[in-house]
Amino acid sequence: MLKKTLITLTLPLLSVLAISVATPLWGVSAPPASQTAHSAVATAPTTGTLQKMIVENGSVTMDLDLNGFDGSGSPVARPVTLQFVIGANSFFPILVFNDLLRGPQPGSMSLIPQNSVAGGADPGKVGYLPLQLGASLKQLIVEKLPSDQRYDLAVRDANTGFTFFDVEGGNYDYDANAQSLNITNGRLLVSKEFAQTLGRPLDAGAIVGKISVGAAMQPIEIDHLVNGQTQSASMPAVGTIPGPDVIIGELLSLVQSNTGAINNRVGLALGTDACNKGTIDVDWFALPSNDHPFIPQNLYRMSGGADNTERFEQLGQSWGKHAFTAASANTCNFGCNNVGGTHLGSGCSDAYGSGLNGDQDGIGSRAWVNPFTGSFVGSTANNHSGHVHNPGDPTAHRILVNVNDLNTSLNTGAKYFAEAEYIVPHEGTWCQAHPDQCNMYNNASYKQYTVTGINQPFSFSPVGSTVREQPAIKAWTAATVNQIEPDHGNDGIWFMGYKVTDLGNGVWHYDYALYNQNLDRSIQSFSVPLGPGVNISNIEFHAPPQQPGVAHDGTVGDAGYSSTPWDVDTTDPNSITWSTETFATNQNANAIRYGTLYNFRFDADQGPNPTTATVGYFKTGSPMGVTIQAPGGVPSPSPTPTPTSTPTATATATATATSTPPPTPTVTPTATPTSTPPPSPTPTPSSTPLTPTPTPTASATATATATATATPTATATATSTPRHTPTPRPIPPRRERPTPHPRP
């Protein structure tokens, strides 16, 4: 999939001008004879005024014959006219040199329907249009395609990218006095995908009507050239935040990239459109440079309980897209300064469709990237040698999601949320030089989507607008979500979310979600206090699938990160503790790394009170306390001093274990506690690591001292005060995935 907005090339302006002046544009109406002779010569004028202009306002008309959609072949035409107003300030750019049109550039104009349209026998209603076209009327765009495409224009759904019509032919005419652009006699051809949807694949390319455009244009950039040299000053900043500040302005289509499941999982991709709020143009240098944004994507589900808001879980995560060549659009309406190419200009936006963000050769492993500084080694971060993608694996590196987690018959009433994040090295280096201008805390945004399908392939539709500068955990209805920053200026942030639900009959459900946004040190343990005499049951742990290990994925031994569920320790009557292996034991342990959310939950026979949970970090930093609610007469909240250790630079550094373990709650029991065992899928505790211990090196001793431990072993014995299990929550019967009917 191609970018939906203009990609500003890094060629000198003179080169672009020389090409456009010396080569007449196909379809552009001819200027007067004297001007034609002047512009066709090889020695094109190099002195004059070059304007980049976009649509200020205008209208679009599509004249269709409904017979073209049903193959009736009737000699009696069934004409219908669709009329639209062009959305104000649509980024459909044209270049004008010395008042002569040099041609349009890639961009799009949004269409706002002005009549409810339709068949000649029933004017004023949509009933005679194909259903999919009728459903998309309020979100259509006319898009100028890149010059290497077969057609010049296309009519598409702005949200899904679905192409209804390719536009063939057409005349372009620019009136310099009126600053107006007219496009006439463009033929509307049924696209291949629309023909497939209509059930008439052989009708692809059939002419079903014409399109015309009339638009008032306005300049957004004016360059004065003298003897081929640009005399205009550089573009001023229009952003409002000091420094570079990338946010996600819009999340675009969420798609299953290819049909097919591997290990009962599908691969999804999410389109993103980023904006620069800052006053500084953001570095956007393509690989092999390591100075460009990295874009991981995630999927979440809210479900459970009487109102389907009891729990908030992450279903899948992807590797990250390596950005390249910034556009200079204005999605966020900040007022773009028109800088693009190797920089995203102040106020400007740059879009990547789901096709680019899901391109398996263009996305690299998260393990290479420090999420706070954005640093990584450019030559290795996107190395795909040694493993195969399509057609063997349509899911590789994309958002991995279990089929049953999307099956609408198994998840009635659930809500789904997609999230993406931009990790920006320029923000990291700027923060180091300007400690009061660190803008890497607002780079995640989310959006709700509906799911259609019982078995794959699944389809997704957006619900509402993108929630900017907030992670998806903020969508958890009626939950408490607090931002935590362990080491200001040296490491990122994570979020502590929790929700307590009264189930009745003296039982409460406690659900905790820990989301790591861009914390490099990661999270290794979580301990919840319990009041005296509290009995717990239905203990659960949930984490999204990890990406399988492949060659050059940045993990130790290319083994990938572990998916082993966290151990749970209930031997202490005053707490319950979950933990994974330490960094010293296994650098690939199943820690809560950046862009991931893990859940910890149980039922208890006493109501909630505020208290302090203890969170242990994986790579470096002492454990710290965070405020939550827990059952019974628990201790009142008491904040723990903020650690100040500096995080490690990469996710693959090795460490040397120290002989003195820190005071962490991460004991590993050797036997199942005597209280009622948790039901499946609660993991059975184990004292044996499942991943080989890496070879220690001396280089990372300093960074690992705070967390490297010789994990103590505790024997699970009955406490002096036995816990009585409350009435357990009813366990629903196993719901088997229905066998789908064969696809035609």
Side-chain angles (χ1 to χ4, degrees):
M1 180 178 291
L2 297 167
K3 288 192 178 183
K4 75 170 188 179
T5 52
L6 167 67
I7 295 179
T8 304
L9 301 178
T10 57
L11 296 173
L13 184 59
L14 178 58
S15 299
V16 177
L17 179 61
I19 293 172
S20 63
V21 172
T23 305
L25 179 71
W26 172 86
V28 177
S29 57
S34 60
Q35 295 175 347
T36 303
H38 179 68
S39 62
V41 295
T43 56
T46 57
T47 298
T49 301
L50 178 69
Q51 299 180 80
K52 180 190 289 184
M53 311 183 81
I54 64 171
V55 175
E56 183 176 10
N57 56 62
S59 62
V60 171
T61 300
M62 299 184 201
D63 293 308
L64 302 173
D65 183 352
L66 297 178
N67 290 335
F69 300 112
D70 58 16
S72 66
S74 172
V76 180
R78 290 191 293 154
V80 61
T81 298
L82 309 184
Q83 295 178 336
F84 303 88
V85 167
I86 302 174
N89 301 318
S90 286
F91 197 83
F92 185 92
I94 63 173
L95 293 180
V96 175
F97 182 66
N98 287 345
D99 290 338
L100 296 178
L101 177 66
R102 302 321 317 164
Q105 294 186 311
S108 64
M109 58 182 80
S110 57
L111 305 184
I112 304 170
Q114 295 301 293
N115 59 337
S116 55
V117 296
D122 194 8
K125 295 188 178 178
V126 183
Y128 290 99
L129 288 178
L131 292 178
Q132 187 164 3
L133 177 58
S136 296
L137 283 178
K138 294 183 179 180
Q139 54 206 42
L140 292 179
I141 59 172
V142 174
E143 182 171 348
K144 169 64 177 74
L145 303 177
S147 58
D148 60 352
Q149 299 297 295
R150 177 179 178 183
Y151 300 105
D152 199 38
L153 302 173
V155 178
R156 289 179 171 167
D157 185 307
N159 290 339
T160 65
F162 183 93
T163 300
F164 288 99
F165 305 113
D166 298 310
V167 180
E168 184 179 60
N171 297 316
Y172 291 76
D173 182 69
Y174 176 72
D175 185 332
N177 293 326
Q179 289 192 333
S180 64
L181 173 70
N182 289 289
I183 306 173
T184 56
N185 296 319
R187 296 183 294 276
L188 293 171
L189 312 183
V190 176
S191 72
K192 288 184 179 180
E193 54 188 321
F194 193 22
Q196 292 283 353
T197 300
L198 293 172
R200 305 183 57 80
L202 296 180
D203 285 350
I207 301 174
V208 292
K210 293 184 178 181
I211 185 172
S212 60
V213 177
M217 310 300 292
Q218 60 179 336
I220 58 172
E221 178 180 343
I222 301 175
D223 291 293
H224 300 285
L225 280 71
V226 177
N227 295 325
Q229 300 297 318
T230 302
Q231 301 298 307
S232 59
S234 60
M235 295 300 173
V238 297
T240 58
I241 305 300
D245 186 15
V246 176
I247 68 167
I248 297 178
E250 295 294 337
L251 292 175
L252 308 176
S253 57
L254 175 67
V255 301
Q256 181 178 339
S257 299
N258 292 96
T259 300
I262 300 294
N263 297 324
N264 204 39
R265 293 172 180 165
V266 294
L268 312 181
L270 175 66
T272 56
D273 198 346
C275 305
N276 179 13
K277 293 177 63 178
T279 57
I280 300 299
D281 301 337
V282 182
D283 292 351
W284 219 269
F285 298 94
L287 287 169
S289 170
N290 63 353
D291 195 3
H292 59 256
F294 180 75
I295 315 167
Q297 307 142 56
N298 303 310
L299 185 69
Y300 304 85
R301 179 185 62 200
M302 184 168 62
S303 62
D307 59 357
N308 275 302
T309 66
E310 184 180 273
R311 57 187 61 188
F312 192 89
E313 301 169 313
Q314 184 174 3
L315 303 182
Q317 56 180 314
S318 73
W319 280 11
K321 168 68 181 174
H322 285 276
F324 67 95
T325 313
S328 55
N330 190 24
T331 294
C332 291
N333 293 318
F334 295 149
C336 174
N337 71 348
N338 301 301
V339 171
T342 57
H343 291 81
L344 179 63
S346 175
C348 301
S349 64
D350 177 71
Y352 295 94
S354 55
L356 280 176
N357 283 348
D359 178 12
Q360 292 169 314
D361 289 320
I363 49 181
S365 171
R366 298 188 185 198
W368 291 111
V369 181
N370 182 305
F372 181 71
T373 65
S375 63
F376 60 90
V377 180
S379 60
T380 59
N382 193 44
N383 187 341
H384 292 268
S385 62
H387 62 273
V388 179
H389 305 140
N390 276 327
D393 187 352
T395 68
H397 315 330
R398 294 164 174 159
I399 307 174
L400 286 182
V401 183
N402 289 318
V403 170
N404 285 350
D405 283 334
L406 297 173
N407 185 331
T408 53
S409 68
L410 302 180
N411 299 279
T412 304
K415 294 182 178 179
Y416 294 84
F417 302 88
E419 170 192 83
E421 180 177 5
Y422 275 59
I423 297 170
V424 186
H426 193 180
E427 291 182 347
T429 55
W430 188 269
C431 172
Q432 294 173 19
H434 307 80
D436 60 335
Q437 297 176 15
C438 298
N439 297 326
M440 62 279 290
Y441 304 107
N442 61 346
N443 294 13
S445 297
Y446 72 90
K447 190 174 188 177
Q448 183 180 347
Y449 293 81
T450 60
V451 180
T452 301
I454 294 177
N455 196 359
Q456 67 89 27
F458 296 96
S459 60
F460 305 85
S461 300
V463 178
S465 302
T466 299
V467 180
R468 298 177 180 176
E469 304 181 58
Q470 297 290 342
I473 190 175
K474 289 286 192 174
W476 192 4
T477 301
T480 299
V481 179
N482 294 320
Q483 178 178 312
I484 312 295
E485 186 179 9
D487 190 2
H488 179 71
N490 293 313
D491 207 347
I493 58 176
W494 65 277
F495 290 81
M496 179 73 245
Y498 58 90
K499 185 175 184 179
V500 181
T501 305
D502 187 349
L503 303 178
N505 298 319
V507 179
W508 286 261
H509 176 71
Y510 292 79
D511 211 304
Y512 305 95
L514 279 66
Y515 168 72
N516 179 351
Q517 180 166 311
N518 62 344
L519 187 74
D520 180 64
R521 65 189 61 196
S522 307
I523 296 172
Q524 184 262 339
S525 65
F526 178 58
S527 183
V528 177
L530 302 173
V534 169
N535 300 296
I536 60 175
S537 60
N538 297 326
I539 304 170
E540 293 180 2
F541 164 82
H542 181 274
Q546 296 283 5
Q547 294 282 336
V550 295
H552 311 297
D553 69 0
T555 63
V556 175
D558 294 336
Y561 291 135
S562 170
S563 292
T564 303
W566 285 26
D567 289 338
V568 58
D569 176 20
T570 58
T571 58
D572 185 345
N574 299 315
S575 66
I576 176 173
T577 298
W578 289 268
S579 63
T580 188
E581 299 161 288
T582 64
F583 185 79
T585 301
N586 178 14
Q587 292 184 43
N588 290 339
N590 192 15
I592 308 178
R593 292 176 170 83
Y594 71 92
T596 54
L597 179 149
Y598 287 14
N599 300 92
F600 309 87
R601 54 178 69 104
F602 56 79
D603 292 343
D605 62 352
Q606 293 188 33
N609 287 299
T611 188
T612 302
T614 302
V615 172
Y617 294 110
F618 182 60
K619 292 183 183 180
T620 188
S622 302
M624 67 180 295
V626 293
T627 300
I628 61 166
Q629 287 192 330
V634 288
S636 299
S638 54
T640 299
T642 301
T644 57
S645 302
T646 302
T648 55
T650 69
T652 57
T654 56
T656 301
T658 63
S659 59
T660 305
T664 71
T666 55
V667 293
T668 306
T670 58
T672 303
T674 56
S675 58
T676 302
S680 179
T682 304
T684 301
S686 171
S687 60
T688 305
L690 300 183
T691 307
T693 302
T695 303
T697 66
S699 61
T701 303
T703 59
T705 302
T707 57
T709 68
T711 305
T713 301
T715 303
T717 59
T719 62
S720 58
T721 305
R723 297 182 182 176
H724 300 286
T725 303
T727 303
R729 302 173 63 192
I731 300 176
R734 179 184 177 89
R735 296 176 290 187
E736 299 291 343
R737 178 168 62 90
T739 302
H741 296 292
R743 300 182 66 199

